[in-house]
Amino acid sequence: MKRILLLGAGHAHLVVLRSLVQEPLHRARITLVTPHAKQVYSGMLPGILAGHYRRADAEVDVAALAERAYVELEQGLVERLDLKQRMVLTKGGKSFAYDMASLNVGSQIARGFRGAQLALAVKPYEEFLARLRMAERIAVVGGGVAGAEIAMALRYRGAQVTLYAENPVLSPRVAKQLGKREVDYRPGMAVTAIEPGFVVVSGSARQDFELALLATGATAMPWLRSSGLATDERGFALVGATLQSVSHPEVFAVGDCATLRETPHPKSGVYAVRHGETLADNLRRIVSDAAPEFYVPQEKALALVTCGARYAIAERGDWGAQGFSLWWWKDRIDRRWVRSFK
Ligand SMILES: Cc1cc2nc3c(=O)[nH]c(=O)nc-3n(C[C@H](O)[C@H](O)[C@H](O)COP(=O)(O)OP(=O)(O)OC[C@H]3O[C@@H](n4cnc5c(N)ncnc54)[C@H](O)[C@@H]3O)c2cc1C
């Protein structure tokens, strides 16, 4: 019987677990190693902050799902792969042997400036929600879509919010909404330090806040590279078209922690879900000694950006639309996603 280790309960592994509930894989012993028994769904996180959702509305009960999928759950944080011995080691000192392993551990928030550790990072979401206290003046560092959604959600709750963005990457539609909703958006203003008391420094400018949040870009878990797995230049696991590591085919990597060598694409939940569908098939195929299939990414993904109030922007390539009805559409999609694991 093959021993399969699923590492992390990201979007892709949730899809795998759901597939195993529908059709169990009896010829393998499958274990999931992940730090939390419940997983917060990132797509609804801004809605939790805005007060539209209770946390329970946006949580997947991973432990219950694993049980129904006949998958053992081990709560822990992976900190190293021993690729020679085919062992996974966790922070708590446990080790797990595998014949096949799959990584879906996501990414971590970049902390590339002095004092970044003083700010509260939006990931891991569970820690973020546990530690977040509302404040009147909040700085959000990181001007990608996640930072913009969080800024608008907190503004909606009544805080004065300043959004620092090193690179102005937001679409004109999203940038315009930030202005309309009175978020103090500072594109092109890179934060160079955070000092105690939440003083945010950008070059010669300094401003003090009651709280600073980090929604800076995704960086790779350092142990992916240090374990000896082939990685891209940023340290994300490099995989081929079957989602297997190009250096260690017995290791799959999916979601944000993976980079597809032949067809690199943006890191987002939408792609991670698609990875999960291919991964579920490929695990079954390998257990039955069949050849794994190829993952073909879609060319463009739909982005749905919430704007604090029940209002959203939809963008796909050059196309875009916005309005209240789009928020309700996203709400239906998100609630259906969470419900699909119940
Ligand atoms: C506020 C916000 C809103 C977003 N909204 C959207 C959206 O609307 N649509 C969209 O497509 N994308 C969205 N994203 C991006 C999206 O969240 C990520 O691209 C997506 O979560 C990546 O999914 P994943 O499957 O790679 O892993 P994740 O969902 O990040 O999950 C990683 C898993 O690994 C676990 N883990 C972490 N470290 C370890 C470890 N060492 N050992 C074991 N387990 C570990 C975690 O606990 C978690 O279970 C948003 C991001 C943010 C921050």
Side-chain angles (χ1 to χ4, degrees):
M1 189 175 276
K2 282 208 160 63
R3 291 162 305 179
I4 301 178
L5 282 187
L6 302 176
L7 309 174
H11 291 58
H13 281 174
L14 293 181
V15 171
V16 171
L17 292 176
R18 187 173 60 193
S19 153
L20 291 169
V21 170
Q22 284 154 1
E23 193 187 332
L25 185 54
H26 294 299
R27 291 164 59 204
R29 181 175 170 196
I30 310 176
T31 305
L32 169 70
V33 184
T34 193
H36 305 286
K38 288 190 177 173
Q39 170 78 37
V40 174
Y41 170 44
S42 56
M44 291 169 87
L45 183 76
I48 300 178
L49 301 183
H52 303 315
Y53 303 119
R54 289 169 306 140
R55 180 169 167 170
D57 297 328
E59 262 179 349
V60 174
D61 188 338
V62 179
L65 181 67
E67 196 177 323
R68 285 189 292 131
Y70 301 102
V71 168
E72 282 172 54
L73 176 77
E74 286 284 348
Q75 269 183 257
L77 261 187
V78 176
E79 74 176 3
R80 194 161 73 83
L81 305 177
D82 183 336
L83 295 162
K84 275 207 183 98
Q85 303 291 330
R86 298 195 178 178
M87 301 279 282
V88 166
L89 300 113
T90 68
K91 204 173 171 191
K94 285 193 177 176
S95 57
F96 303 93
Y98 63 86
D99 299 303
M100 268 193 288
S102 173
L103 292 157
N104 184 205
V105 291
S107 59
Q108 55 186 23
I109 296 288
R111 291 174 186 268
F113 53 82
R114 183 167 54 86
Q117 76 285 354
L118 297 171
L120 178 58
V122 302
K123 277 183 177 189
Y125 309 123
E126 293 74 14
E127 211 177 297
F128 172 63
L129 289 175
R131 291 182 51 203
L132 180 68
R133 300 284 171 268
M134 271 308 280
E136 276 181 21
R137 287 172 295 115
I138 303 176
V140 178
V141 184
V145 170
E149 282 194 283
I150 287 172
M152 287 189 273
L154 294 171
R155 176 75 197 111
Y156 180 70
R157 288 288 292 278
Q160 297 296 323
V161 184
T162 299
L163 176 63
Y164 290 90
E166 182 171 5
N167 302 308
V169 292
L170 294 174
S171 71
R173 249 184 229 99
V174 178
K176 199 166 165 198
Q177 280 301 312
L178 285 167
K180 248 184 146 170
R181 287 163 204 280
E182 297 176 335
V183 169
D184 175 15
Y185 176 42
R186 310 223 178 138
M189 212 165 161
V191 170
T192 44
I194 295 182
E195 292 172 359
F198 299 120
V199 179
V200 175
V201 183
S202 175
S204 56
R206 302 163 64 83
Q207 192 166 342
D208 68 316
F209 295 89
E210 288 167 21
L211 178 66
L213 305 179
L214 280 191
T216 36
T219 60
M221 309 286 176
W223 50 265
L224 293 173
R225 178 176 279 163
S226 63
S227 293
L229 207 59
T231 57
D232 69 3
E233 66 291 347
R234 295 168 65 203
F236 293 105
L238 202 57
V239 298
T242 57
L243 305 177
Q244 287 164 286
S245 157
V246 297
S247 59
H248 296 80
E250 70 282 7
V251 178
F252 285 84
V254 284
D256 282 7
C257 73
T259 294
L260 275 82
R261 186 175 55 184
E262 282 84 27
T263 50
H265 55 65
K267 296 190 185 300
S268 83
V270 174
Y271 286 101
V273 169
R274 295 284 174 89
H275 290 179
E277 290 161 6
T278 303
L279 175 67
D281 282 348
N282 282 350
L283 293 176
R284 289 182 197 284
R285 282 167 176 267
I286 290 181
V287 168
S288 328
D289 295 321
E293 62 181 28
F294 287 178
Y295 166 79
V296 183
Q298 73 244 61
E299 254 178 50
K300 293 174 196 155
L302 175 72
L304 285 165
V305 183
T306 54
C307 303
R310 290 186 169 88
Y311 189 95
I313 298 169
E315 290 183 321
R316 190 169 194 267
D318 296 334
W319 174 84
Q322 62 193 65
F324 294 101
S325 56
L326 285 166
W327 188 91
W328 288 106
W329 185 44
K330 176 170 163 52
D331 173 68
R332 255 210 328 270
I333 296 171
D334 289 348
R335 284 184 189 271
R336 200 188 308 140
W337 164 259
V338 173
R339 227 180 16 247
S340 75
F341 302 106
K342 288 203 169 125

